[in-house]
Amino acid sequence: MKQYYLQTKDEALKEFKTGSDGLSTKQAEENLAKYGKNALVEGKKKTAFQVFLEQFKDLMVIILIIAAVISAFTGDLESTLVIIAVLILNAILGTVQHIKAEKSLESLKSLSSPSAKVLRNGEKIEIDSKDVVPGDIMLLEAGDMVTADGRILDNYSLQVNESSLTGESTNIDKADVDFDHEIPLGDRLNMVYSSSLVTYGRANVLVTGTGMNTEIGKIASLMNETKERRTPLQVSLDKFSSKLATAILVICAIVLGLQIWRGQPIMDALLFAVALAVAAIPEALSSIVTIVQAMGTQKMAKENAIIKNLAAVESLGSVSVICSDKTGTLTQNKMTVEDIYIGGEVLKPDQLDLGNQLHRYLLYDAVLNNDSSLKDGKSIGDPTESALLEMYRKVPGIDLGNNQLGLSENDLRGLLTRQQEVPFDSDRKLMSTKHLIHTVPTIFVKGAIDVLLDRCDNIRIGDEVRPMTDEDRKKILAQNEHFSENGLRVLTFAYKKDGDLSPETEHSFTFIGLVSEMDPPREESIEAVARAKKAGIRTVMITGDHKVTAVAIAKKIGIFSDGDIAVTGLELDKMSDEELEQKIEKIAVYARVSPENKIRIVNAWQKKDKIVSMTGDGVNDAPALKKADIGVAMGITGTEVSKDAASMILADDNFATIIKAVANGRTVFENIKNAIMYLLSGNLSAIITVLFASIGGFPVPFIAVQLLFINLVTDSLPALAIGMEPGAPDILDRKPRDPKVGILDKNLVTRVTLQGAIISVGVITAFMIGRQTSTAVACTMAFSTLTFARLLHGFNCRSQHSIFKIGFKNNWYSLAAFAVGTLLLALILFVPGLHSLFAVTPLTNTQLLWIIGLALMPTIIIQIVKVVQENR
């Protein structure tokens, strides 16, 4: 079966067994039963309880649950309660995050207009949009939201804004035409699509698709099929957690066997294994990562980048390809007059002179033959016409020859009222209006050069009007070609005096000039693209606009360079996956693309192991936003669907904001990496101490509650302070990190191992000194030394540089974390009521001095090493 845009009206009507009177009530009921409601089908969702249970699938969590059970059997109820409380808290946080996630299909549903006008039994009626069925004759007029896909039957100058679906910013002139070959969705002039907005004219349309069978329905299906990718950090942490959990189980089994072999009671041996498991598992790790990401989101929000998905913060730092929409993101989303060809020369709007009669006629034509208006800085009407009014306002020294200075366009329209008009339509490609200019009836016309130039007999140069020669035409066409090659949209202006105005009299005009317009690049975009290039990030333009326009803008911004390629959606469709894989790194611009094209582009980059960011604002962008590693939606012009599908929303619709967000993302990753180094080196020191006690046949140096206190309370504060560290000045001078390289690279593992070993030496020494008095004192000294040493270690992990180089002024949180942690430790040691809960005993002043000295030792050694490295 041919697609509906390739069918004639009669073929389409015959297929749906309908006519000019529409469906009968019986036919409508039959079609409703056959095709279903005009609504989108929602994918099956997990219940909150299912999501909650899934939080316990992690191997690390299972180990902690086992530890809690063993603690309960050994009578250590405090440890059991603390472990269970931590696990439930983490599960609740995970569930809440999931419930707040995607609601894309709900937003897609809300796009449907609540009602639609159709013909049933030959009568015009208004029905619920969900009751519209294929075969209905839908009646559209300006201001209506199109509620279903349809083939145009009768067209009366219909203009439709399809930007939310195709990405093209300007209104589309629809036409009752037949096509005999495949064309992109944006060029199907004989079709209208659900979620589009009628901006001008009216039409009768045969409904050809409803619900999931519409173009927007296909997008909904794509979104159901598209799965979100895990971020590089999530993948890295998952791998790390799996390896760590396996190692913990192996070590715990060895220690358990060793203890039983030595004749320890089974329960005591299990208690030892529990202590080791709790010491090894960084319980606060997931919480710290989440909180550091949340802090990153707050900072980004202040810079107009609103992060919806916390994990996206870290992914931003790894982005190596940004697929950016053109309209509104790289450009201003506002048509602007660039150059004017008049009197044989090219001028800017501010070079026009109202003392020049030719210039004055161009401005009359631009303002009077125009249906748009400007109010409070906002344009109402066609963007192309609004740009002409903006051009008028830029003309210096307004002098209309009637001593009225500073006359606004509204005053000019009031003075030179419109007497007759022939509105623009897509067949004529012209708009004409008639006015009295100094008592002389004058017709002004503007339109496409291919139509209007042939209707011009004369040309005006200055005050002289003469017949147009072939040489004049060649010059005008050459100038038009030059404008077009630079991505400019061109309007032709002409006039004639006397005569009635009708479509039949639109000829014998005098040529005035050409006005070229474009949606200009944002000034910040050029700098932002250059910064992205320096940061090792490839920027690719994906747009619904025409190739010539897209390439011209891409060149101005710095996206398209010599040797780069631009392709259209149809050209992309003809490429095999292998061909696309070969060419993708050279393709800088994609024009006239479909939603499927966008997903394919993102997927092709991801196959090359690139972390891809995709920007967009329309319904058509939503599947690709969801498929990308980082989907970025526009906050101002974006549809609710695109916002829901994205990971990040730009409050200012500005490409430059993405680059700022990338810098913040890189900073967040660095801080998370440093926080992980802090947590792991501290945990390793506890593991080494427990293993030392096990191998040496000594009592367990820590109980589970003490280790949980260190991991969840004392450790978390310095780790959070590390997460607040400001970014390095050269953060965007580095290349994006390789997502294949895990967070635990060789350098990090080496530092974690050495620092953990140094801290453990101090803790073991404190434990052995305490044993000279009693086991209780030994355990108290080991716990206190480990806690204080790890608090001090927070200063070491803020940066690779020494504390003398980075100082404290730019991160007061580190001092606050140290002070609070020290206070909590002091309360445990000096408040008798807390002694039993944490199993500590009073210490002498000498023992306290040993604790302070042994805790300081690792930090002194680490800082000396950093100073030596800095001075090499």
PDB file of all heavy atoms in Angstrom, residues 62-77:
ATOM      1  N   ILE A  62      23.742  -7.536  49.636  1.00  0.00           N
ATOM      2  CA  ILE A  62      23.491  -8.897  50.139  1.00  0.00           C
ATOM      3  C   ILE A  62      24.510  -9.267  51.219  1.00  0.00           C
ATOM      4  O   ILE A  62      24.157  -9.861  52.245  1.00  0.00           O
ATOM      5  CB  ILE A  62      23.532  -9.910  48.971  1.00  0.00           C
ATOM      6  CG1 ILE A  62      22.330  -9.664  48.040  1.00  0.00           C
ATOM      7  CG2 ILE A  62      23.514 -11.346  49.483  1.00  0.00           C
ATOM      8  CD1 ILE A  62      22.407 -10.391  46.720  1.00  0.00           C
ATOM      9  N   ILE A  63      25.767  -8.886  51.014  1.00  0.00           N
ATOM     10  CA  ILE A  63      26.809  -9.164  52.012  1.00  0.00           C
ATOM     11  C   ILE A  63      26.479  -8.465  53.330  1.00  0.00           C
ATOM     12  O   ILE A  63      26.610  -9.039  54.417  1.00  0.00           O
ATOM     13  CB  ILE A  63      28.195  -8.718  51.500  1.00  0.00           C
ATOM     14  CG1 ILE A  63      28.634  -9.613  50.324  1.00  0.00           C
ATOM     15  CG2 ILE A  63      29.244  -8.791  52.619  1.00  0.00           C
ATOM     16  CD1 ILE A  63      29.889  -9.154  49.639  1.00  0.00           C
ATOM     17  N   LEU A  64      26.025  -7.193  53.226  1.00  0.00           N
ATOM     18  CA  LEU A  64      25.670  -6.463  54.452  1.00  0.00           C
ATOM     19  C   LEU A  64      24.459  -7.085  55.147  1.00  0.00           C
ATOM     20  O   LEU A  64      24.386  -7.103  56.380  1.00  0.00           O
ATOM     21  CB  LEU A  64      25.392  -5.000  54.120  1.00  0.00           C
ATOM     22  CG  LEU A  64      26.625  -4.100  53.937  1.00  0.00           C
ATOM     23  CD1 LEU A  64      26.201  -2.708  53.495  1.00  0.00           C
ATOM     24  CD2 LEU A  64      27.447  -3.999  55.215  1.00  0.00           C
ATOM     25  N   ILE A  65      23.505  -7.607  54.360  1.00  0.00           N
ATOM     26  CA  ILE A  65      22.342  -8.279  54.964  1.00  0.00           C
ATOM     27  C   ILE A  65      22.799  -9.521  55.733  1.00  0.00           C
ATOM     28  O   ILE A  65      22.347  -9.774  56.866  1.00  0.00           O
ATOM     29  CB  ILE A  65      21.315  -8.666  53.875  1.00  0.00           C
ATOM     30  CG1 ILE A  65      20.662  -7.400  53.282  1.00  0.00           C
ATOM     31  CG2 ILE A  65      20.238  -9.593  54.437  1.00  0.00           C
ATOM     32  CD1 ILE A  65      19.803  -7.659  52.059  1.00  0.00           C
ATOM     33  N   ILE A  66      23.716 -10.279  55.126  1.00  0.00           N
ATOM     34  CA  ILE A  66      24.273 -11.462  55.815  1.00  0.00           C
ATOM     35  C   ILE A  66      24.977 -11.045  57.099  1.00  0.00           C
ATOM     36  O   ILE A  66      24.825 -11.676  58.152  1.00  0.00           O
ATOM     37  CB  ILE A  66      25.246 -12.220  54.875  1.00  0.00           C
ATOM     38  CG1 ILE A  66      24.461 -12.816  53.689  1.00  0.00           C
ATOM     39  CG2 ILE A  66      25.991 -13.322  55.624  1.00  0.00           C
ATOM     40  CD1 ILE A  66      25.355 -13.329  52.561  1.00  0.00           C
ATOM     41  N   ALA A  67      25.730  -9.930  57.011  1.00  0.00           N
ATOM     42  CA  ALA A  67      26.429  -9.427  58.199  1.00  0.00           C
ATOM     43  C   ALA A  67      25.429  -9.052  59.295  1.00  0.00           C
ATOM     44  O   ALA A  67      25.660  -9.310  60.488  1.00  0.00           O
ATOM     45  CB  ALA A  67      27.278  -8.211  57.832  1.00  0.00           C
ATOM     46  N   ALA A  68      24.298  -8.447  58.893  1.00  0.00           N
ATOM     47  CA  ALA A  68      23.277  -8.067  59.877  1.00  0.00           C
ATOM     48  C   ALA A  68      22.676  -9.298  60.550  1.00  0.00           C
ATOM     49  O   ALA A  68      22.442  -9.308  61.769  1.00  0.00           O
ATOM     50  CB  ALA A  68      22.179  -7.255  59.183  1.00  0.00           C
ATOM     51  N   VAL A  69      22.424 -10.342  59.751  1.00  0.00           N
ATOM     52  CA  VAL A  69      21.860 -11.588  60.302  1.00  0.00           C
ATOM     53  C   VAL A  69      22.826 -12.222  61.296  1.00  0.00           C
ATOM     54  O   VAL A  69      22.432 -12.651  62.401  1.00  0.00           O
ATOM     55  CB  VAL A  69      21.527 -12.574  59.157  1.00  0.00           C
ATOM     56  CG1 VAL A  69      21.133 -13.934  59.721  1.00  0.00           C
ATOM     57  CG2 VAL A  69      20.401 -12.017  58.287  1.00  0.00           C
ATOM     58  N   ILE A  70      24.113 -12.280  60.929  1.00  0.00           N
ATOM     59  CA  ILE A  70      25.122 -12.871  61.825  1.00  0.00           C
ATOM     60  C   ILE A  70      25.237 -12.061  63.114  1.00  0.00           C
ATOM     61  O   ILE A  70      25.329 -12.618  64.217  1.00  0.00           O
ATOM     62  CB  ILE A  70      26.489 -12.962  61.112  1.00  0.00           C
ATOM     63  CG1 ILE A  70      26.405 -13.980  59.961  1.00  0.00           C
ATOM     64  CG2 ILE A  70      27.590 -13.372  62.088  1.00  0.00           C
ATOM     65  CD1 ILE A  70      27.606 -13.975  59.043  1.00  0.00           C
ATOM     66  N   SER A  71      25.204 -10.731  62.972  1.00  0.00           N
ATOM     67  CA  SER A  71      25.272  -9.871  64.164  1.00  0.00           C
ATOM     68  C   SER A  71      24.096 -10.150  65.096  1.00  0.00           C
ATOM     69  O   SER A  71      24.239 -10.173  66.321  1.00  0.00           O
ATOM     70  CB  SER A  71      25.261  -8.396  63.759  1.00  0.00           C
ATOM     71  OG  SER A  71      26.427  -8.065  63.045  1.00  0.00           O
ATOM     72  N   ALA A  72      22.905 -10.379  64.508  1.00  0.00           N
ATOM     73  CA  ALA A  72      21.721 -10.677  65.326  1.00  0.00           C
ATOM     74  C   ALA A  72      21.895 -11.999  66.069  1.00  0.00           C
ATOM     75  O   ALA A  72      21.559 -12.109  67.259  1.00  0.00           O
ATOM     76  CB  ALA A  72      20.482 -10.727  64.433  1.00  0.00           C
ATOM     77  N   PHE A  73      22.442 -13.013  65.392  1.00  0.00           N
ATOM     78  CA  PHE A  73      22.655 -14.316  66.028  1.00  0.00           C
ATOM     79  C   PHE A  73      23.705 -14.260  67.140  1.00  0.00           C
ATOM     80  O   PHE A  73      23.644 -15.005  68.103  1.00  0.00           O
ATOM     81  CB  PHE A  73      23.087 -15.354  64.980  1.00  0.00           C
ATOM     82  CG  PHE A  73      21.919 -16.016  64.304  1.00  0.00           C
ATOM     83  CD1 PHE A  73      21.614 -15.745  62.971  1.00  0.00           C
ATOM     84  CD2 PHE A  73      21.102 -16.903  65.000  1.00  0.00           C
ATOM     85  CE1 PHE A  73      20.531 -16.343  62.353  1.00  0.00           C
ATOM     86  CE2 PHE A  73      20.013 -17.516  64.384  1.00  0.00           C
ATOM     87  CZ  PHE A  73      19.715 -17.234  63.052  1.00  0.00           C
ATOM     88  N   THR A  74      24.674 -13.363  66.981  1.00  0.00           N
ATOM     89  CA  THR A  74      25.730 -13.252  67.999  1.00  0.00           C
ATOM     90  C   THR A  74      25.315 -12.310  69.130  1.00  0.00           C
ATOM     91  O   THR A  74      26.115 -12.039  70.030  1.00  0.00           O
ATOM     92  CB  THR A  74      27.039 -12.758  67.361  1.00  0.00           C
ATOM     93  OG1 THR A  74      26.801 -11.518  66.694  1.00  0.00           O
ATOM     94  CG2 THR A  74      27.585 -13.772  66.375  1.00  0.00           C
ATOM     95  N   GLY A  75      24.105 -11.770  69.059  1.00  0.00           N
ATOM     96  CA  GLY A  75      23.611 -10.903  70.131  1.00  0.00           C
ATOM     97  C   GLY A  75      23.966  -9.442  69.965  1.00  0.00           C
ATOM     98  O   GLY A  75      23.664  -8.617  70.826  1.00  0.00           O
ATOM     99  N   ASP A  76      24.627  -9.076  68.835  1.00  0.00           N
ATOM    100  CA  ASP A  76      25.027  -7.675  68.602  1.00  0.00           C
ATOM    101  C   ASP A  76      23.884  -6.949  67.888  1.00  0.00           C
ATOM    102  O   ASP A  76      23.958  -6.666  66.693  1.00  0.00           O
ATOM    103  CB  ASP A  76      26.311  -7.655  67.774  1.00  0.00           C
ATOM    104  CG  ASP A  76      26.939  -6.266  67.724  1.00  0.00           C
ATOM    105  OD1 ASP A  76      26.339  -5.326  68.284  1.00  0.00           O
ATOM    106  OD2 ASP A  76      28.016  -6.134  67.111  1.00  0.00           O
ATOM    107  N   LEU A  77      22.811  -6.664  68.650  1.00  0.00           N
ATOM    108  CA  LEU A  77      21.612  -6.075  68.055  1.00  0.00           C
ATOM    109  C   LEU A  77      21.834  -4.655  67.542  1.00  0.00           C
ATOM    110  O   LEU A  77      21.211  -4.231  66.566  1.00  0.00           O
ATOM    111  CB  LEU A  77      20.465  -6.073  69.079  1.00  0.00           C
ATOM    112  CG  LEU A  77      19.924  -7.467  69.448  1.00  0.00           C
ATOM    113  CD1 LEU A  77      18.878  -7.346  70.527  1.00  0.00           C
ATOM    114  CD2 LEU A  77      19.334  -8.154  68.218  1.00  0.00           C
TER     115      LEU A  77
END
